[in-house]
Amino acid sequence: MELRVLRYFLAVAREGSITGAANYLHMTQPTLSRQMKELEEELGQQLLLRGGRRVGLTSEGMLLRKRAEEIVAIADRTEEEFRTMGGSLAGDLYIGGGETDAMNQIAAVCRGIQEQHPGIRYHLYSGNAQDVTERLDKGLLDFGLLIQPTDLTKYDCLSIPAKDSWGVIMRRDNPLAGQATVTPEDLAELPLIFSRQVLEERAEGNALVEWFGPAWDNLNIVATFNLCYNAAVMAKQGVGYVVGIDKIVDTSEDSALCFRPLQPTLESGLDLVWKKYQVFSAAAELFLHALRADFAARQRETLL
């Protein structure tokens, strides 16, 4: 398979028609149709569902689209890294992570680098730990920001000097909002909205499972989420109570939602991770060095 043909295929998948893709690629429709036929013959699978003016993807075509997107992304990143060698420091940094207030620390470091090296661009990918580590493993991300507990055996990591506090996001007019904290007994029969990552983790070593104790097996979980914003919308509409971390959605005094911490207190640490034996671009190397210096300075301030 040629990279050029994979780009053609992705254009067809995106445009949903041979004609539209040919116009986008500035080539003739017969030439593009022939390239797609030859690609199908090379792989021995039908990739496109042809009918009328529109084309769809077979299950094999959907698989190729996913793989082609990954291959093209890595190729583009490699080309960009080599283009920026030897000149002023520039390039692209790819950072993935869950929603967490600790991103403020990383953003502050990015701002400091930006002032000296405006040619560095940052690409952010939001997802849970499974999403982020999958993209890390495939080389689509340079770094991942993971909320503990997470298996870090495959990665090198840098602990972030911050912790996320767990609690419940609920409507401000809810009777439970009158309490300063929330206990497992308070949530025993309420409709709860939970992170899928928490539910998919093993019970052993899962701090939230341990916090709930015997009540865990009988919780009334009415919805799940991977990112918290839409879950907060569900809470605002009264669907349920979001069990999540603080400072992710607006729970200020002007908001219809509020946050109440768990009691006993439950906090999660955070780690910035990257693949072991990773060969960094100059931009990624600079970013990691700047993070280490910033985190060390924060820790020194804490000790003073």
Side-chain angles (χ1 to χ4, degrees):
M1 288 182 296
E2 295 183 32
L3 189 61
R4 168 181 57 86
V5 177
L6 290 180
R7 294 186 191 277
Y8 293 167
F9 172 75
L10 289 175
V12 172
R14 182 176 61 250
E15 298 294 328
S17 82
I18 297 291
T19 301
N23 291 336
Y24 172 79
L25 295 167
H26 304 292
M27 61 192 303
T28 65
Q29 180 179 339
T31 299
L32 181 56
S33 294
R34 185 175 65 253
Q35 292 282 1
M36 294 300 96
K37 271 292 186 185
E38 290 176 356
L39 179 60
E40 288 178 320
E41 292 171 0
E42 179 182 358
L43 295 177
Q45 299 290 340
Q46 181 181 352
L47 304 173
L48 302 177
L49 295 169
R50 299 166 175 83
R53 296 182 178 181
R54 307 295 295 175
V55 297
L57 297 179
T58 64
S59 58
E60 294 80 6
M62 293 178 188
L63 174 60
L64 179 63
R65 180 177 188 172
K66 181 179 180 182
R67 294 289 183 261
E69 287 173 343
E70 295 168 355
I71 292 168
V72 168
I74 292 173
D76 288 344
R77 284 190 58 193
T78 303
E79 290 177 5
E80 178 63 25
E81 287 173 359
F82 277 86
R83 269 199 303 268
T84 57
M85 287 180 179
S88 59
L89 189 54
D92 295 281
L93 271 174
Y94 295 81
I95 306 168
E99 295 174 316
T100 169
D101 186 60
M103 190 64 193
N104 276 299
Q105 295 188 22
I106 292 177
V109 171
C110 292
R111 185 194 63 231
I113 294 174
Q114 187 180 49
E115 292 172 355
Q116 299 183 42
H117 305 284
I120 295 178
R121 295 182 297 272
Y122 302 91
H123 305 276
L124 304 180
Y125 174 84
S126 295
N128 60 27
Q130 181 178 346
D131 300 328
V132 171
T133 54
E134 180 180 344
R135 295 181 74 84
L136 269 174
D137 294 343
K138 292 177 178 177
L140 300 175
L141 295 174
D142 295 305
F143 301 99
L145 178 57
L146 303 182
I147 301 171
Q148 298 173 1
T150 305
D151 184 5
L152 302 178
T153 54
K154 296 194 299 181
Y155 308 101
D156 287 326
C157 66
L158 176 64
S159 293
I160 296 177
K163 288 185 180 295
D164 281 332
S165 298
W166 285 84
V168 179
I169 300 166
M170 69 187 91
R171 288 177 60 97
R172 190 173 296 277
D173 59 6
N174 191 289
L176 191 59
Q179 299 182 188
T181 59
V182 177
T183 68
E185 292 74 24
D186 293 327
L187 301 177
E189 298 182 1
L190 296 179
L192 303 180
I193 302 173
F194 254 87
S195 163
R196 282 195 293 277
Q197 179 181 334
V198 171
L199 297 178
E200 291 168 357
E201 289 176 358
R202 293 180 304 173
E204 182 181 354
N206 187 320
L208 200 57
V209 174
E210 294 173 356
W211 182 87
F212 273 100
W216 175 260
D217 292 330
N218 297 310
L219 294 179
N220 179 22
I221 299 173
V222 299
T224 65
F225 64 91
N226 68 325
L227 295 175
C228 198
Y229 178 83
N230 287 337
V233 173
M234 300 281 275
K236 189 181 295 185
Q237 292 300 322
V239 175
Y241 300 72
V242 178
V243 179
I245 56 179
D246 196 8
K247 300 179 181 178
I248 300 302
V249 298
D250 180 16
T251 55
S252 63
E253 291 296 327
D254 296 330
S255 171
L257 298 173
C258 65
F259 177 89
R260 296 294 180 263
L262 301 182
Q263 180 61 41
T265 300
L266 181 62
E267 294 180 325
S268 291
L270 303 111
D271 295 288
L272 187 81
V273 305
W274 58 94
K275 290 173 64 176
K276 287 187 175 180
Y277 315 112
Q278 173 84 3
V279 178
F280 287 124
S281 65
E285 193 75 56
L286 173 67
F287 172 74
L288 184 56
H289 177 77
L291 275 182
R292 284 186 167 131
D294 180 81
F295 292 172
R298 289 175 185 270
Q299 289 172 335
R300 286 195 297 271
E301 290 176 3
T302 303
L303 295 175
L304 293 178

